[in-house]
């Protein structure tokens, strides 16, 4: 997609950006809009492959990071500043799902999803805000939530609870960060299909979910990434603490 310099000269970090999902699409769109991008993921091989691919579009630097590890999160932010001199935009995309009835869900399954999806977003938000404060204020955080934070779906209690938590974290941290001149918003996709999702979700469930969408199809990762780029840009200069639904799903 042809860019319009919406993020010209901005330093953007995207977590969970290896592969073909929303994270890599967000990194690609940021590059197309003139940003210098740090991509991060816990899968180092896929991260290196993604960095090589995206490097054809602009300046890309890869830093492995597991968002459940505080030291690695801090190293991601510090490494970004060392490489590019500062941080301007933090896109918190890391999340972990799964399908399991509450009756069958183990403590470990519950805790793992919450630790990656909610607490991981908290860790990255905290680290980014501390960096913004050191830089004298200003900056943007964009979180990836989900419509299941609002809507009921069987087998998704852990994921839905985590994503509802991301929404609440977005609203409250935006108030904490306002005095720093930092904006914090989130997107809430309903269904964005990519190869990894197809591997962990049955075709029958995907077809059922697609039927619920007004357009009869899922979003592409790029369509979600476009909204992330908007929220990261100066066009969203008066938006903070908002959760934007990227969905055509019927209530």
């Amino acid at each position: 997609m042809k860019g319009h310099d919406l993020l010209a000269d901005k330093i953007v970090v995207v977590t969970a950006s290896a592969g073909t999902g929303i994270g890599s699409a967000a990194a690609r769109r940021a590059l197309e809009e003139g940003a210098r991008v740090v991509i991060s993921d816990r899968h180092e091989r896929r991260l290196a492959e993604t960095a090589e691919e995206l490097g054809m579009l602009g300046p890309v630097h890869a830093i492995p990071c597991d968002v459940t590890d505080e030291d690695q999160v801090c190293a991601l932010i510090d490494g970004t500043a060392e490489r590019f001199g500062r941080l301007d935009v933090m896109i918190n995309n890391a999340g972990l799902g799964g399908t399991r009835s509450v009756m069958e869900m183990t403590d470990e399954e519950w805790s793992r999803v919450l630790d990656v999806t909610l607490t991981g977003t908290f860790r990255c938000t905290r680290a980014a805000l501390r960096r913004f404060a050191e830089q004298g204020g200003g900056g943007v955080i964009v979180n990836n939530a989900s419509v299941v934070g609002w809507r009921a779906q069987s087998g998704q209690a852990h994921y839905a609870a985590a994503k509802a938590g991301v929404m609440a974290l977005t609203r409250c941290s935006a108030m904490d960060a306002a005095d720093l001149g930092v904006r914090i918003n989130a997107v809430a996709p309903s269904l964005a299909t990519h190869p990894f999702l197809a591997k962990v979700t049955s075709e029958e469930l995907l077809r059922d979910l697609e039927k619920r969408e007004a357009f009869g199809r899922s979003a592409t990762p790029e369509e979600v990434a476009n909204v992330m780029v908007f929220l990261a840009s100066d066009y969203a200069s008066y938006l903070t603490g908002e959760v934007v639904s990227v969905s055509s799903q019927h209530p």
Side-chain angles (χ1 to χ4, degrees), residues 1 14 25 35 42 50 57 84 88 118 145 147 152 178 197 223-224 227 230-231 241 245:
M1 179 179 293
V14 187
R42 68 185 183 91
T50 303
L57 298 175
F84 292 118
D88 296 310
L118 176 55
V147 294
L197 179 64
E223 287 173 316
V224 179
V227 182
F230 161 70
L231 291 173
S245 176

Side-chain angles (χ1 to χ4, degrees), residues 109-201:
E109 288 170 327
W110 171 271
S111 297
R112 178 63 176 164
V113 169
L114 269 289
D115 195 18
V116 174
T117 307
L118 176 55
T119 310
T121 300
F122 159 70
R123 291 187 188 100
C124 291
T125 295
R126 179 176 59 191
L129 286 176
R130 288 173 175 172
R131 174 61 59 178
F132 292 148
E134 289 176 11
Q135 294 172 178
V140 179
I141 297 174
V142 180
N143 296 325
N144 192 358
S146 169
V147 294
V148 297
W150 291 312
R151 300 170 181 169
Q153 187 172 319
S154 62
Q156 297 294 308
H158 48 359
Y159 187 67
K163 290 300 190 179
V166 169
M167 293 177 177
L169 172 64
T170 297
R171 290 189 290 266
C172 294
S173 61
M175 297 301 100
D176 290 341
D179 287 344
L180 282 174
V182 176
R183 297 187 294 104
I184 305 178
N185 294 290
V187 297
S190 55
L191 180 64
T193 302
H194 50 86
F196 178 74
L197 179 64
K199 289 180 181 179
V200 298
T201 308

